[in-house]
Amino acid sequence: MTARRVVFIGAAGEMCKVAIERFARAGGDFELVLCDIRPELLQPLVKRLPAGRVKVRRLDLYDRDALLGVIDGAALVVLGAGPYIRTSEPVITACIELKVPYLDFDDDVESTQHALSLADKAQEAGIPLYIGCGASPGMSNVLAVDAASELDTVEDIEMFWTVGDERPDVGRAVIQHLMHIAGGDCLTWENGGPVTHPSYVETGSAPMGGGLGETLLYETAHPEPVTMPRRFPEARRIRCLGGMDPAPVNGLVKGLGQAIESGRMTSDEAVDFMMAIVKSRFGTPTGWRHALNGMISQVRRGESGAGELLTFLGSSALRRRYTWRGGLLARVTGTRNGRPAVAVRRTPESGPGSYLVASMATVTGTSCAAFMVLALDEAGKRAGSFAPEDWAEPEDFYTALERVGTPRYEIVESVR
């Protein structure tokens, strides 16, 4: 019997490499086709994968003929190349044309909305489009559904994410996404309907796991408030809040985002500056002026301490890295037995010793691998466009995380 093909596009990205390796741990009779514009970067990964089950292809996803040729007949196409506001449309279009199931970990609002708008076309083609199947969105949505199951009514849903110091292993697409959500508008859900807020302005705090404790985070332009109202239309408020550890990085990012929004920097200039900082280079004086303005304003608003800022600047000057901390948390408020109630789910572990939440790449890639397992288990059963809360039941997802190697004690805990 011919093995089913699973095609990965953007396979050399850090998150996608984790997804590939951990999906392979789940077993199954699959041929893995790894596609990237730079296939030479995939050789170390190939050595860690099952022998005879892997093919590597050079692919420019904007080359329509080449794209159609590589995905034709696949059991599943996984798009790991970002930013999704540029990459998802051509790949989804090709999958619908060839009637091939599609999955991604899209974290951009605009491309998520576009994918949702294609639900009828996907249904006509008889295929599922599984979107937002990473950490946030993705696992965060599942945690929220799990928390909501404790309550009789749902009023507010808040999903929080934090990522730590990943220098120097941060890709340009990640920085492009960060700059995209750091300035401009943030589509969210408030008073039972969609509203627009300025991104990275409103704040909220949550008792994050993984050693973080109570953490102040920022409302961000993520897809969760766009998709979750479809599952919880009665909710009064649904929002996504995120940020970086250590806290001064949020001020730096916000300063750059405001400079982009006001026209004092272009997005490319801000991304170039951030990439220089990630690689321990100095960056431009213009970039530092806006970054410092953002961090000083953060201290003045009481969102971070002056001592914390000075420590961060000193450590950065000495090129010292912080121990990585991060995680996900979902908090749902409503009623239980006629009384006000709160339910919380979060990832309990993070840092270098963690399997699931050791980095942004591991939590996103491992979550993606688990969603892939679920998608392939139910092949042929769905058609349309689906966000995680539409189809991935919490216990099934947690079991899939175990199947791709995650210890059960690392997956989820309730907070009282």
Side-chain angles (χ1 to χ4, degrees):
M1 182 177 177
T2 303
R4 292 189 291 169
R5 284 191 304 121
V6 178
V7 177
F8 297 86
I9 298 173
E14 291 302 314
M15 298 176 193
C16 201
K17 284 192 291 187
V18 173
I20 294 164
E21 188 168 8
R22 296 191 173 179
F23 171 72
R25 292 192 180 191
D29 186 24
F30 298 106
E31 177 185 82
L32 309 180
V33 182
L34 314 187
C35 303
D36 202 273
I37 194 73
R38 295 181 296 171
E40 65 277 6
L41 300 178
L42 290 164
Q43 291 311 311
L45 172 62
V46 171
K47 294 176 182 178
R48 301 194 298 270
L49 296 173
R53 292 288 188 185
V54 184
K55 290 184 179 179
V56 175
R57 295 277 302 269
R58 184 189 183 281
L59 176 69
D60 177 350
L61 66 85
Y62 300 107
D63 182 336
R64 183 176 179 277
D65 290 340
L67 177 62
L68 291 172
V70 78
I71 72 172
D72 191 13
L76 183 67
V77 170
V78 179
L79 177 60
Y84 284 98
I85 51 174
R86 301 178 186 173
T87 60
S88 69
E89 190 277 332
V91 180
I92 290 177
T93 298
C95 285
I96 290 174
E97 181 176 340
L98 294 178
K99 301 182 179 180
V100 173
Y102 168 92
L103 185 146
D104 67 29
F105 42 89
D106 188 351
D107 52 5
D108 287 317
V109 170
E110 298 88 345
S111 44
T112 296
Q113 291 174 313
H114 178 256
L116 291 174
S117 75
L118 297 175
D120 290 344
K121 289 186 177 180
Q123 195 164 33
E124 290 172 8
I127 62 162
L129 307 176
Y130 294 118
I131 58 174
C133 296
S136 174
M139 186 172 181
S140 61
N141 308 53
V142 176
L143 293 176
V145 171
D146 191 9
S149 69
E150 279 191 24
L151 306 179
D152 299 324
T153 66
V154 170
E155 295 175 3
D156 290 358
I157 301 174
E158 295 177 300
M159 290 155 285
F160 300 84
W161 58 266
T162 312
V163 296
D165 185 353
E166 302 203 5
R167 294 173 292 177
D169 301 320
V170 182
R172 189 175 182 87
V174 172
I175 300 300
Q176 287 173 325
H177 169 70
L178 182 59
M179 290 298 98
H180 181 65
I181 68 173
D185 292 332
C186 171
L187 184 61
T188 189
W189 187 263
E190 188 174 78
N191 295 320
V195 298
T196 299
H197 291 169
S199 188
Y200 241 80
V201 171
E202 293 202 11
T203 61
S205 66
M208 304 297 291
L212 284 160
E214 197 68 28
T215 304
L216 181 74
L217 296 168
Y218 297 81
E219 190 176 54
T220 53
H222 257 220
E224 289 95 321
V226 174
T227 68
M228 290 289 286
R230 299 156 74 243
R231 174 74 183 255
F232 299 98
E234 76 283 5
R236 180 177 62 88
R237 182 174 68 171
I238 301 174
R239 62 178 184 161
C240 179
L241 301 98
M244 267 62 69
D245 177 67
V249 181
N250 293 307
L252 184 155
V253 168
K254 187 169 181 177
L256 295 176
Q258 289 175 332
I260 294 169
E261 188 178 6
S262 65
R264 290 171 290 166
M265 287 186 82
T266 67
S267 179
D268 285 342
E269 288 171 339
V271 170
D272 289 342
F273 172 77
M274 284 292 293
M275 289 302 297
I277 301 303
V278 164
K279 303 300 181 184
S280 296
R281 299 193 296 270
F282 182 75
T284 63
T286 299
W288 271 115
R289 183 171 70 252
H290 297 307
L292 287 169
N293 284 340
M295 288 187 281
I296 292 169
S297 296
Q298 180 188 33
V299 172
R300 288 173 177 167
R301 291 189 301 270
E303 297 169 5
S304 180
E308 194 172 13
L309 173 56
L310 291 173
T311 299
F312 170 75
L313 293 173
S315 296
S316 297
L318 296 173
R319 298 183 179 180
R320 291 176 180 166
R321 293 182 57 189
Y322 286 73
T323 300
W324 198 94
R325 300 186 301 176
L328 304 169
L329 182 146
R331 180 168 60 206
V332 182
T333 61
T335 62
R336 185 190 302 116
N337 298 325
R339 295 185 177 184
V342 179
V344 177
R345 299 288 189 274
R346 72 183 183 189
T347 51
E349 305 281 336
S350 79
S354 170
Y355 182 87
L356 177 62
V357 192
S359 68
M360 181 167 50
T362 63
V363 66
T364 304
T366 310
S367 296
C368 179
F371 282 115
M372 290 176 59
V373 167
L374 293 181
L376 288 162
D377 280 352
E378 61 169 40
K381 295 181 181 179
R382 294 182 188 273
S385 186
F386 305 98
E389 65 274 15
D390 298 327
W391 68 287
E393 292 303 314
E395 280 303 322
D396 294 340
F397 178 71
Y398 301 153
T399 300
L401 281 172
E402 291 184 276
R403 288 171 63 185
V404 299
T406 311
R408 181 72 186 200
Y409 67 85
E410 283 196 25
I411 293 174
V412 61
E413 67 177 357
S414 301
V415 182
R416 300 297 179 186

